[in-house]
Amino acid sequence: MKRLISSDGGAAIVELALVAPFLILLTIGIIDIGRFARESITIGNAARAGAEFGAYSSVNSTNAPAIASAAQADATDVSLLPTDVSSTMYCSCGATPGTTVTACNPTPTCASSDHLDSFVSVTVTKSFSSLINYPGIASTLTLTKTATQEISP
């Protein structure tokens, strides 16, 4: 009869009380990793959208406010400020890898066998804050993504 009356309910509650904080911390950590990945992908896509807009024409490639607007329009999930987006235009002599001409205007000259390629590069930088402070990991991280595309002639 005594066996029917005794219960292990108290032990289960104690075990739950010991394990629950670890499960909650693990759940919040998984949520933070997902948030970090989503924001990283979003700002990468925003940089790509800005580079695509800038690469459409040489006029667009020098219009930094419009490039920033294109990047902001693509990043609907993340609030980007115009100061979070920067763009640069640069030229390169095509047949000589690694040769970068910093000033594209007036039109630079390349060797006779080279052709001039123009590029627009867009960098998006955004701050990411975790939900809680983890030991040994900064609570705020800086995400930076850059996209480069050749400008259409």
Side-chain angles (χ1 to χ4, degrees):
M1 189 74 166
K2 189 168 183 149
R3 241 184 217 195
L4 295 173
I5 298 174
S6 72
S7 172
D8 291 333
I13 290 177
V14 170
E15 290 172 4
L16 179 63
L18 291 173
V19 175
F22 297 109
L23 292 176
I24 292 169
L25 184 63
L26 181 67
T27 302
I28 291 173
I30 291 170
I31 290 169
D32 262 348
I33 289 170
R35 289 179 56 240
F36 181 83
R38 181 184 60 85
E39 286 196 21
S40 180
I41 290 168
T42 300
I43 68 164
N45 289 342
R48 227 175 341 274
E52 286 175 5
F53 177 85
Y56 184 73
S57 70
S58 60
V59 173
N60 286 3
S61 66
T62 57
N63 190 347
I67 290 173
S69 291
Q72 286 175 298
D74 190 74
T76 56
D77 295 346
V78 177
S79 60
L80 287 179
L81 301 173
T83 54
D84 294 334
V85 182
S86 64
S87 61
T88 56
M89 178 190 170
Y90 66 93
C91 297
S92 175
C93 294
T96 311
T99 303
T100 301
V101 181
T102 54
C104 295
N105 292 323
T107 305
T109 57
C110 294
S112 61
S113 62
D114 285 352
H115 62 280
L116 184 67
D117 294 324
S118 300
F119 298 90
V120 64
S121 180
V122 177
T123 301
V124 178
T125 304
K126 184 69 179 158
S127 225
F128 173 81
S129 298
S130 60
L131 294 173
I132 61 173
N133 294 331
Y134 301 101
I137 299 175
S139 61
T140 302
L141 301 171
T142 302
L143 298 169
T144 302
K145 297 291 182 177
T146 301
T148 302
Q149 255 186 312
E150 187 172 5
I151 298 169
S152 299

